[in-house]
Amino acid sequence: PTCKKLFEITQTAVKDLQINSSVEYLTGAEGIQKIVELGAVSSPLLVVNGKLAFVGFTSDIEKIKRLISENSN
């Protein structure tokens, strides 16, 4: 449930920041493969522009907005 919730909060953050970008939710073999590629050892992950921005769960939308902004360049 934390993976799905992080996805939903991230969608809201992207909308609030008025960023014209897609938010992807990966699960199953595809999700596991991406976790391995990024070198993470747990989930959920927040990846921005192919860069690992955050590992774990937070419901703090302001933190997510900050992470997105910091990793968007």
Side-chain angles (χ1 to χ4, degrees):
T2 57
C3 294
K4 184 71 169 175
K5 187 67 177 167
L6 180 61
F7 171 69
E8 292 167 356
I9 295 168
T10 302
Q11 285 182 306
T12 301
V14 167
K15 183 178 175 184
D16 289 354
L17 292 169
Q18 299 179 345
I19 297 173
N20 186 17
S21 187
S22 64
V23 178
E24 295 180 88
Y25 180 68
L26 303 179
T27 61
E30 185 180 17
I32 292 169
Q33 180 63 35
K34 193 64 173 176
I35 290 170
V36 170
E37 288 173 12
L38 292 166
V41 294
S42 64
S43 67
L45 308 178
L46 176 61
V47 179
V48 180
N49 292 334
K51 296 182 289 188
L52 183 59
F54 183 74
V55 178
F57 175 75
T58 180
S59 59
D60 183 351
I61 193 166
E62 295 306 318
K63 181 175 184 172
I64 293 171
K65 287 180 186 178
R66 182 175 46 77
L67 290 165
I68 292 169
S69 295
E70 289 173 356
N71 289 280
S72 290
N73 303 327

